[in-house]
Amino acid sequence: MQTSNVRILLRSKVEELPKEPNEAPQKYCYRTEAVFEEHDGQYVLIYPESAAEGMEDTVTTLAFSKTEPPFATLSRKGKIHTTLAFSTAHRRQDCTYDTPYGSFDFQIVTEELRFSLHEKGGTMHLVYRMETNGRPMQKNTLSLLITPFSEVSQ
């Protein structure tokens, strides 16, 4: 197992569905330190979530499978508990989100999943919809740039 400390630049966009006229998507840009590991045929990124997004005291683990077709999981533990699965082969996945206000079940529909990772970092791009009872709730876009401490993040 290879482990390194890295910096990540996380950009996300959340669009409520159905979209109201003149409604702008919520956009976030977040930089933080993370642990990046390679083991058991996957890359794993572990980082603390941002208080700006209301997820203080929550740690996120992103695991990327090296197999084809692309597959990834996003697990959150802390104030929020969930595990989301993303796959281009099995686009629809059932999930549960546990929050301090209650739990709800929904489906994840993966639209895009691309990543280019190596032992020092790389990039990831994910687009997915959240649906409940077959009705769209949100469209989410998540992009990550993972760099070693010795390189400057842009």
Side-chain angles (χ1 to χ4, degrees):
M1 176 170 75
Q2 183 176 351
T3 300
S4 58
N5 292 318
V6 296
R7 293 182 184 176
I8 61 171
L9 173 62
L10 183 147
R11 295 178 193 271
S12 69
K13 179 171 76 171
V14 178
E15 300 174 77
E16 299 298 326
L17 299 175
K19 190 175 177 180
E20 296 293 325
N22 301 321
E23 182 179 22
Q26 299 172 5
K27 294 182 180 181
Y28 301 97
C29 183
Y30 176 55
R31 295 176 196 261
T32 192
E33 297 177 4
V35 174
F36 190 56
E37 302 174 344
E38 179 183 5
H39 60 84
D40 298 331
Q42 63 183 0
Y43 289 104
V44 178
L45 182 70
I46 303 165
Y47 63 93
E49 283 290 351
S50 166
E53 291 189 48
M55 291 194 282
E56 62 277 352
D57 302 321
T58 300
V59 174
T60 293
T61 301
L62 270 166
F64 307 93
S65 173
K66 293 181 183 180
T67 62
E68 285 292 328
F71 181 81
T73 58
L74 182 149
S75 299
R76 291 191 170 122
K77 292 189 174 22
K79 185 176 179 180
I80 295 170
H81 294 272
T82 193
T83 298
L84 310 178
F86 306 100
S87 170
T88 56
H90 305 284
R91 293 189 182 276
R92 185 176 300 278
Q93 304 284 333
D94 292 326
C95 302
T96 300
Y97 222 82
D98 296 318
T99 74
Y101 311 105
S103 299
F104 63 95
D105 296 322
F106 59 98
Q107 295 79 42
I108 291 293
V109 180
T110 305
E111 293 184 4
E112 288 180 56
L113 175 59
R114 297 187 315 267
F115 50 89
S116 175
L117 301 170
H118 50 82
E119 64 278 352
K120 292 184 179 183
T123 60
M124 187 275 300
H125 181 77
L126 170 65
V127 179
Y128 65 96
R129 287 189 323 269
M130 294 174 65
E131 297 181 351
T132 183
N133 299 323
R135 299 183 73 196
M137 297 174 8
Q138 287 182 341
K139 181 175 181 177
N140 298 273
T141 302
L142 177 65
S143 296
L144 284 173
L145 173 64
I146 306 163
T147 56
F149 279 145
S150 60
E151 295 180 18
V152 177
S153 298
Q154 296 183 5

